[in-house]
Amino acid sequence: MKVLEGKSVFSGIAIGKIQVWKEETDQVKRVHVPDRNQELLRLEEAKEKAIEELKKLYHKAEAETGSSEAEIFEVHQMMLDEGEYIEDIKSRIRTESVNAEYAATAAGEHFADMFRKMDNEYMQERAADIQDITKRLVRVLSGEKKNRNVIQEPVILVAQDLSPSDTILLDKDKILAFVLKKGSANSHTAILARAMNIPALIQVPFSDDIEGSRAIVDGEKGKLFLDPDKEFLEKYTKEQVAEQEKQKLLAAFKGKETITKGGRRIKLFANIGSGEDIKAVLSNDGEGIGLFRSEFLYLGKEQLPTEEEQFQIYKDVALQMGDKKVIIRTLDLGADKQAPCFQMDKEENPAMGCRGIRLCLEHPQVFKTQLKAILRAGIYGNLSIMYPMITSAWEITKIKEILKEVKLELQEEGKPYKDLEQGIMVETPAAAVISDLLAKEVDFFSIGTNDLTQYTLAMDRQNEKLESFYEPGHEAVLRLIRMVIENAHKAGIWAGICGELGADTRFTEEFVKMGIDELSVSPARILPLRRLIRSMDED
């Protein structure tokens, strides 16, 4: 038996035969064209056909996954319809008199390389988007039908990487697990795996000769076992059956209160990254949304989203969730999240730079646009606003001044709105230490344990070399959390946790004893946490 190690994207056990995804390797030739206008016309016709294909993919993704996969095809349409990518192709045809296939390929390589060289992981993943739309455009131009990999039976799908288009066109009933040699937690395959609740590994160093091998994927340990012996296979088969039974038992907790045996009530909410994730929240019986990340409206976009665009999205979320609370976090860009529409300056230490509320206060008009959209959407549901990266009381004072201006502008414009509950994320030691002062200014606290741990331990949480030093449950972090909860309650407001630590069952009982009022976690963690909390004796 051979064991290959990678990184886990989604846990679970899969057992089956491996199928290796075959990469397309067709070379595009450079051809001189005498009539550049005719070539530009060919490009325009191919572009329109490709956009039509993408529209169909969007509707397929939206219907099948209920995840962020659908949104990416809208982005692809915009990239083909206008912007620097398509203009670069046209420029190459005009200046070099080359065929559209070659111009598209050259432009695609240029932009993909540009994205790969960026420091931000999210932006590096956009190289896959460029490659995907380039393949589509070249295929339409050449009039060729794509030679797709055929999956005839349930398999563990192994690939170098998968494009968004390839991923969404897969027959989901025939995918037992994903194993990628490349990829990241932000890749489209990773997003889909989480939406489908199937095991997935990335950065696994496999070779193509594993085609057809019997294998086991352990999504918890991040391992791929090739050609296991009978005894090892039986062991994992039993574990898989036990895991499946556990999932069935969890379904029994749907519709039940998240309450301890002693009568202590905990609100169990979900963290989501876009409106498409609401399906997962509802299917896992989330009691609300404790963290609605609004960055997806800005990331990868050349233009800032308008008030109306944002209003429609927030309104849709509010309507889908009905009476359930939805906490929208205002724009939290900076550090590891960069957006072209902002063109932020390069910083020596971005994690401690102009990010979160600092960026919003530096760009008050952008901030106002978002606040207007949220306040307007508030009349359609149970919305709250949460501000990230607060470190001082004066920031809250400034926010209130801007909020007052926003309300006056909405009144003058004749747009109805609703006054909403206001809260802050406590994710810096500074905010935790002065939480007694901050609690007097807001309606709730939500503790962002990811950044709180990073800043408390003076440790970059994305630095792989520091993994052995990184302690999410460090006593210093736990003391700060306890302090925040106590200060919140003294001021008569509630406190929750929306970071990864909130889903770590090693600390759930301790958080409940501290008096935590709410835990906001990924949708898939809601039912396991409910089962655990209902077994506790705390009152």
Side-chain angles (χ1 to χ4, degrees), residues 142-429:
S142 62
E144 294 178 3
K145 290 185 177 180
K146 194 169 183 180
N147 180 22
R148 297 200 172 278
N149 292 262
V150 178
I151 302 176
Q152 297 179 330
E153 61 180 320
V155 295
I156 295 170
L157 192 63
V158 174
Q160 289 282 330
D161 206 349
L162 287 170
S163 72
S165 298
D166 288 333
T167 303
I168 203 61
L169 286 170
L170 292 170
D171 184 344
K172 313 303 181 296
D173 294 332
K174 293 178 181 174
I175 308 298
L176 301 172
F178 288 115
V179 176
L180 303 182
K181 182 173 284 188
K182 299 177 183 177
S184 75
N186 292 320
S187 70
H188 304 293
T189 310
I191 293 169
L192 182 65
R194 288 192 286 267
M196 294 165 60
N197 288 334
I198 64 171
L201 309 179
I202 57 173
Q203 300 173 26
V204 178
F206 65 84
S207 56
D208 290 345
D209 61 4
I210 65 173
E211 173 77 46
S213 298
R214 185 77 172 169
I216 299 170
V217 172
D218 188 327
E220 185 73 33
K221 297 178 181 176
K223 294 182 179 182
L224 174 67
F225 301 98
L226 297 171
D227 298 317
D229 58 35
K230 184 179 178 181
E231 185 178 345
F232 196 80
L233 187 61
E234 287 178 352
K235 170 180 172 289
Y236 260 94
T237 300
K238 289 179 181 178
E239 288 188 23
Q240 185 184 43
V241 171
E243 183 65 30
Q244 291 168 347
E245 288 300 317
K246 191 186 297 183
Q247 292 302 315
K248 289 178 183 177
L249 290 173
L250 283 176
F253 289 89
K254 287 185 179 181
K256 293 187 177 180
E257 286 188 301
T258 308
I259 187 169
T260 66
K261 289 180 179 179
R264 178 96 160 75
R265 179 83 166 80
I266 308 293
K267 289 179 281 189
L268 203 48
F269 290 175
N271 299 331
I272 64 171
S274 81
E276 303 302 332
D277 295 332
I278 291 176
K279 181 180 177 182
V281 178
L282 296 175
S283 65
N284 285 281
D285 199 30
E287 297 168 40
I289 294 172
L291 172 59
F292 181 76
R293 304 180 182 93
S294 61
E295 294 78 60
F296 74 97
L297 291 160
Y298 303 81
L299 292 170
K301 308 290 178 63
E302 295 290 339
Q303 300 294 325
L304 289 166
T306 66
E307 178 189 327
E308 197 60 32
E309 288 171 342
Q310 295 189 64
F311 165 66
Q312 292 296 337
I313 289 170
Y314 302 144
K315 174 185 173 182
D316 185 55
V317 171
L319 289 170
Q320 287 189 65
M321 292 300 292
D323 294 333
K324 294 184 176 182
K325 182 180 287 295
V326 177
I327 300 175
I328 299 176
R329 182 177 69 186
T330 57
L331 180 59
D332 189 17
L333 291 177
D336 60 332
K337 291 172 285 190
Q338 303 288 316
C341 55
F342 264 95
Q343 297 182 341
M344 288 178 270
D345 296 330
K346 185 174 178 59
E347 297 177 304
E348 287 298 320
N349 193 346
M352 295 189 179
C354 191
R355 57 172 300 198
I357 199 63
R358 300 168 186 172
L359 189 71
C360 290
L361 296 180
E362 284 288 311
H363 299 270
Q365 200 53 51
V366 175
F367 191 32
K368 281 185 174 183
T369 298
Q370 183 173 34
L371 290 175
K372 280 185 174 183
I374 298 173
L375 290 177
R376 288 174 59 199
I379 64 176
Y380 295 94
N382 184 8
L383 300 188
S384 298
I385 305 178
M386 180 165 68
Y387 306 102
M389 276 299 289
I390 296 293
T391 56
S392 302
W394 73 261
E395 292 167 330
I396 300 176
T397 301
K398 185 63 178 176
I399 290 168
K400 288 181 177 180
E401 290 174 3
I402 293 174
L403 199 60
K404 188 176 180 180
E405 293 173 13
V406 164
K407 291 177 182 178
L408 285 173
E409 289 178 16
L410 287 173
Q411 289 170 14
E412 290 170 0
E413 294 165 8
K415 296 175 180 176
Y417 70 88
K418 182 180 177 182
D419 286 324
L420 304 178
E421 188 181 44
Q422 309 283 309
I424 63 168
M425 287 191 71
V426 178
E427 49 192 336
T428 65

Side-chain angles (χ1 to χ4, degrees), residues 390-500:
I390 296 293
T391 56
S392 302
W394 73 261
E395 292 167 330
I396 300 176
T397 301
K398 185 63 178 176
I399 290 168
K400 288 181 177 180
E401 290 174 3
I402 293 174
L403 199 60
K404 188 176 180 180
E405 293 173 13
V406 164
K407 291 177 182 178
L408 285 173
E409 289 178 16
L410 287 173
Q411 289 170 14
E412 290 170 0
E413 294 165 8
K415 296 175 180 176
Y417 70 88
K418 182 180 177 182
D419 286 324
L420 304 178
E421 188 181 44
Q422 309 283 309
I424 63 168
M425 287 191 71
V426 178
E427 49 192 336
T428 65
V433 171
I434 64 166
S435 55
D436 58 330
L437 303 178
L438 300 179
K440 299 173 184 177
E441 305 297 328
V442 296
D443 300 308
F444 67 91
F445 286 152
S446 188
I447 305 168
T449 56
N450 299 352
D451 273 330
L452 183 61
T453 303
Q454 171 175 249
Y455 294 130
T456 302
L457 302 185
M459 196 177 299
D460 182 357
R461 58 191 170 94
Q462 298 193 64
N463 188 334
E464 295 179 6
K465 294 179 181 178
L466 299 177
E467 195 170 326
S468 61
F469 295 94
Y470 191 76
E471 292 182 64
H474 193 287
E475 181 59 30
V477 177
L478 295 178
R479 289 187 186 187
L480 289 175
I481 292 173
R482 185 179 292 107
M483 180 192 300
V484 172
I485 296 170
E486 289 174 355
N487 285 331
H489 291 168
K490 285 177 185 176
I493 69 173
W494 63 269
I497 293 176
C498 64
E500 291 295 319

